[in-house]
Amino acid sequence: MHIGLVGLGKMGNNMRERLREHTIEVTGFDQNPDVTDVATIADLAAALPTPRIVWIMVPAGKVTTAVVTELAEVLEKGDIIIDGGNSRFTEDFKHAAQVAEKGIEYIDAGVSGGVWGLKNGYGLMVGGKKKNIDLVMPVFDALRPDGPRDEGFVHVGEIGAGHYAKMVHNGIEYALMQAYAEGYELLDKRSDIINDVTGTFKAWQRGTVVRSWLLELLVRALEEDPEFKDIAGYVEDSGEGRWTVEEALANEVPVPTISASIFARFVSRQPQGSPAMKAVAALRNQFGGHSVKAVD
């Protein structure tokens, strides 16, 4: 199979490499001439066999809309666009309707795995027509983790469902990170009786009910900088947590833990900061390669 990939940043470039390792031919386009395979999106379309499959991996919002619009000009009826970025699910409705005018198919794909996806594979949540999902399945199988398909891939539903599931996934992620971070601050606070904070978290990695990959990444961050001396307790959010809370309000679903984790990030942007938010910042850097603010 041969697909196109637009966007060769941290995740897109790793995805291209993983696909190639799994015998999927990839032609990539990026505005950075050092990483792109072709000069223009029109060249990308010309290089692909029909029906063309083009995966978009660019920042959500205006950039994604611009790419969808440009692709709609060069693709043809029966071709497939996959938005694998972190678009809000409501944008999928707009983009799908936009390209449908030319008979172009659309899939939305929630992708989790961050900078570790090249090695470990990506968790995939997709929305769209079954016939399109089946056609692209070799690509999904190449990207997902090894093992049973249903433990790393799900066809959630129709268009928008993939990004909706990813939105909720990220809302849960926010809350889990916050819980670990608050535990870190409490342990760190009682240095009079706790002699090994890093060792405590490390001892939870096997056998305990709080073990997880996020816990492993927190241990990794602590081993690199036990007191997070080089990280400011300033934590950004990329939108999905807010959208999760907005959806919860609209549907009268109580999500107090997720909501609190979002508000904690807002607190982190105040001048005082906190040790817990340093831990959250370190975790985001570990799993997603997200930038952190250095201590002045």
Side-chain angles (χ1 to χ4, degrees), residues 10 34 55-56 65 75 138 208 239 261 286:
K10 284 181 292 189
D34 295 332
W55 189 300
I56 302 173
T65 297
L75 297 183
T208 78
S261 70
Q286 285 291 326

Side-chain angles (χ1 to χ4, degrees), residues 27 40 75 92 109-110 112 145 157 163 165 173 182 185 191 197 208 220 235 239 243 255 269:
T27 299
T40 67
L75 297 183
D92 294 318
S112 182
H163 280 144
E173 176 188 291
E182 290 173 6
E185 181 168 0
S191 58
V197 174
T208 78
R220 178 188 172 95
V235 184
W243 302 339
V255 290
R269 299 167 202 170

